[in-house]
Every structure is written in C-alpha cells, then in structure tokens.
Amino acid sequence: MTAAALRPVPANRTLDLRSDTVTQPTPAMREAMAKADVGDDVFGEDPSVLALEAKVAGIMGKEAALYVSSGTQSNLLGVLAHCQRGEEFLIGDCYHVFQYEAMGTAVLGSVAAYPLRTDARGGLEPQQVLDAIKPDDVHKPITRLLSLENTVAGRVQSQDRIDALADAAHSRGLQVHIDGARLMNAAVKQGLKAKDMAAKIDTVSLCLSKGLGAPVGSVLSGPADYIKRARRLRKMLGGGMRQAGILAAAGLHALEHHVDRMAEDHANARRLAQGLAEAGPLTVDVDDIDTNMLFIEPAAEDVEPLRAFLKEQGIVLGSPRPAKIRVVTHLDISSEDVDRIVAAVKAFYAKR
Ligand SMILES: *Cc1c(COP(=O)(O)O)cnc(C)c1O
C-alpha cells in the first residue's frame, strides 16, 4: 500500500525530513493499539507483548526476543548481556552505539568500547577485527564482543562481509551483536530474509519506531539465555513496562503492514536525490543511496537561508552535521511530496 493509501493527507501539511522517527501512527495502527489485549508485562502476562516478541524472534530466526523502550536500551542490553565489567567490545567508529548512546555501556556496565575505523560506506574488514582482539595479558581488557550495524547511515552492508566479520569474531570466541535499527530497510532493499541476514549474529536489535512507523519501541532478539539476562537488566534499568501491549500492538501492526512498503521510501529517496541534484548548486551523492537516506551539501552560505525558506513552505530540514544535511524519507512522505520538496528547493535557488 502506498503512503497516500495508508492515510488521507492534506496537501499543505508539514513535511519533516529530519528522520524516519517523526512518523505519526496511521489510523489503522491507532485502531490496532486501541483494540490490543493487554496484561502486566513484568509478570510476563501481556499477550500483545508476547505476540510481538514471538513474531520478532521468528523474523530474526532466534530463540527469544525482548520488547524494550528504545533502540538505545536494546543495544545497551545487548552489549551488557554479553560483556562483564572490565571487558571490551569492538565497534565501528561511526556506529550509533559508539557515537550517540552516551556511552551507556561504560557508564552503566563498566564495559569499554574499542573503536575500529570504518570505510566510506560504514564497513569493517575481518582482519581489523582479528587484529584488535587482545591477547590474554594482564595489561589488557578481555575482548568479548563485536558490535556491528546495518544499515549504516542508510547504507546496506554487504551480507558476505557481515558473515565474514561474524565468522572472524566467532573463530576467536567473541560473540556478535548487530544494531539493526533499520535492518528491515536492508532486508527489503536486498530482497533477503532478516533471519538469513542474522544467521551468524548472536543478538539483533531492531527499531520499530524508525522506518517501520510505530510510535515507540525496539526488540532485542537472541538465544534464550541472553534474552533472560537482558530481561533482568531491563528491569534494573527501569525499563519494565506494565500494560505495554498497547504499544507492542503498534509494532505488530507495523511488522504486518509496513515492511514491504519501505521500498517506496527507498524509491522516493532516490527520486528526491535526483530532483535535488538538478534543483540548484548543491551536492547530492545520488549513486550512494541504498535505502531511505540521502545527504545533501549546499554551499555553506546557502544552508541557513535554505532551511529558513523551506520552513516557511512547511518543509523541515535538519541541520548540517557537520557539512552535510541528512534527508530521510518515510511513511509520511509520499511521491507527490517529493515533487513538492524539489519544487520548493528550485524556487529557493531561482530567487537566489
Ligand atoms: C535510532 C538509532 C538507534 C537508537 O534508537 P532510539 O530508539 O533512538 O534509542 C540505534 N542505532 C541506530 C543505527 C539508530 O539509527
């Protein structure tokens, strides 16, 4: 179903391109939430949470899964379920767990992150992993885990590489976690099943609140004993929620109705990039777009005037980090909206 078919849209509504987290629940999703059977999930008695956990475990091909409040909590539990105080995990230096999660693994778990330099598309090489594993030496922490990510800034990581990285880690006794906040975007893009993508991974984190369009929640999947440990840690962090089924129902609805449609977001991202590349003097790397993210770089002096002009037109653009602006397509951006955005950017450069 197209975005327009999922929700009647007023033509002049605000188009928010900052992230795919900004989506509003659709009317059908709200209905599923309103009708959800609920119970006390800390007692393990919420049928909607249990159904969501079983569904995601199945999608990922894992024994068990745990519904949590956010991707950050899911990754934190993933790392802490594997690593003890004084141990370390290897991670790409641009990955979310290393850059944007307030180093919770160190603060809350006394677990150190050891960053590895990623290539231009966010990838790592198996040899980097092997070289970074510490010897059994009193001067060193114990290397316990490799933490991967897919997609990385919208870029799909090659499955052969992911598998080779996991094999390298396992060959030396490490476990492997993947931050799959947008793993379903990568699955849709490649026509692969998530469980095949995660076959060599021990624990997988999936966000329901990004491209899938649920208002809240992530799910950590993995072996039953790790998920049991993560469940205790979730309670410790204050993340045990009671009638959470009302939220889980949104996630179930998203997994049933919003997966295949992400192909539309990917097509929109590509068409938006092509349109913007022709709309004025800004740099867009059209060929580097795999899923629902593009990065644009207007001339430095154009950035704030462009953002202000678009804001007046009801189009919200993020700020540059540091030079490039991330533009994200999602459930609330239709193909017609892409035309509206391109026309607005053209209008800005026409009067420049
Ligand atoms: C958004 C995101 C997270 C964290 O999710 P929150 O729900 O915002 O905590 C983790 N990893 C990646 C790659 C993300 O994009």
Side-chain angles (χ1 to χ4, degrees):
M1 234 194 293
T2 64
L6 290 168
R7 186 202 327 280
V9 281
N12 297 324
R13 75 191 200 291
T14 298
L15 305 179
D16 193 337
L17 299 168
R18 290 172 301 170
S19 179
D20 48 10
T21 57
V22 301
T23 55
Q24 296 279 322
T26 62
M29 181 180 277
R30 285 180 186 270
E31 201 177 311
M33 295 171 76
K35 285 187 181 155
D37 289 329
V38 297
D40 191 319
D41 182 50
V42 174
F43 297 165
E45 292 172 2
D46 188 301
S48 300
V49 172
L50 293 172
L52 174 66
E53 290 174 344
K55 185 170 181 78
V56 177
I59 288 171
M60 297 301 171
K62 301 299 172 204
E63 280 176 357
L66 182 69
Y67 181 54
V68 299
S69 61
S70 69
T72 299
Q73 188 174 79
S74 185
N75 286 323
L76 177 62
L77 298 180
V79 173
L80 297 191
H82 291 290
C83 303
Q84 301 297 313
R85 181 180 172 83
E87 297 180 342
E88 71 168 5
F89 63 103
L90 310 178
I91 184 163
D93 58 1
C94 69
Y95 294 174
H96 201 279
V97 173
F98 187 65
Q99 292 283 352
Y100 304 111
E101 299 186 3
M103 212 45 93
T105 54
V107 178
L108 298 162
S110 298
V111 175
Y114 188 86
L116 305 177
R117 180 159 304 159
T118 48
D119 65 26
R121 291 187 51 82
L124 293 171
E125 290 289 347
Q127 193 61 45
Q128 286 178 281
V129 171
L130 295 172
D131 290 346
I133 297 170
K134 309 300 178 288
D136 183 1
D137 177 329
V138 291
H139 299 85
K140 302 287 187 182
I142 295 161
T143 313
R144 190 63 77 191
L145 175 74
L146 171 65
S147 186
L148 299 173
E149 186 174 303
N150 196 11
T151 62
V152 180
R155 296 181 179 104
V156 174
Q157 302 300 297
S158 114
Q159 194 54 42
D160 287 347
R161 184 92 72 90
I162 295 269
D163 290 346
L165 286 160
D167 283 342
H170 286 143
S171 76
R172 300 281 296 275
L174 271 61
Q175 302 285 300
V176 184
H177 171 76
I178 195 161
D179 176 357
R182 297 185 178 85
L183 191 78
M184 299 316 281
N185 290 82
V188 167
K189 172 69 185 188
Q190 301 179 104
L192 293 178
K193 286 196 159 73
K195 68 169 171 230
D196 294 331
M197 297 172 69
K200 290 178 181 258
I201 309 287
D202 299 292
T203 52
V204 186
S205 173
L206 173 72
C207 284
L208 302 166
S209 57
K210 302 270 170 91
L212 289 170
V216 175
S218 288
V219 180
L220 179 69
S221 305
D225 51 345
Y226 282 84
I227 296 304
K228 187 174 174 203
R229 214 175 298 160
R231 190 177 293 278
R232 176 187 292 272
L233 289 162
R234 184 187 70 172
K235 189 76 182 78
M236 191 190 296
L237 289 169
M241 299 184 284
R242 302 293 177 172
Q243 284 73 36
I246 214 146
L247 299 171
L252 273 169
H253 181 88
L255 289 168
E256 275 154 23
H257 300 282
H258 294 175
V259 176
D260 294 340
R261 67 147 305 283
M262 290 197 294
E264 189 188 344
D265 299 340
H266 304 168
N268 283 341
R270 193 158 269 270
R271 208 163 64 77
L272 179 57
Q274 285 157 348
L276 293 178
E278 290 163 17
L282 47 76
T283 310
V284 193
D285 208 347
V286 180
D287 296 327
D288 201 26
I289 299 164
D290 289 344
T291 58
N292 66 332
M293 279 184 202
L294 47 136
F295 293 83
I296 64 172
E297 190 172 354
E301 66 274 17
D302 288 340
V303 169
E304 287 315 315
L306 175 64
R307 291 183 68 221
F309 179 84
L310 291 179
K311 187 140 196 216
E312 277 170 28
Q313 314 278 315
I315 299 170
V316 184
L317 207 56
S319 36
R321 296 193 258 176
K324 293 185 180 175
I325 299 174
R326 185 180 78 162
V327 176
V328 188
T329 57
H330 50 71
L331 187 57
D332 290 348
I333 303 291
S334 67
S335 177
E336 295 72 37
D337 296 333
V338 168
D339 298 329
R340 194 180 132 198
I341 297 158
V342 172
V345 173
K346 270 191 185 141
F348 170 79
Y349 283 112
K351 68 169 194 65
R352 239 357 224 171

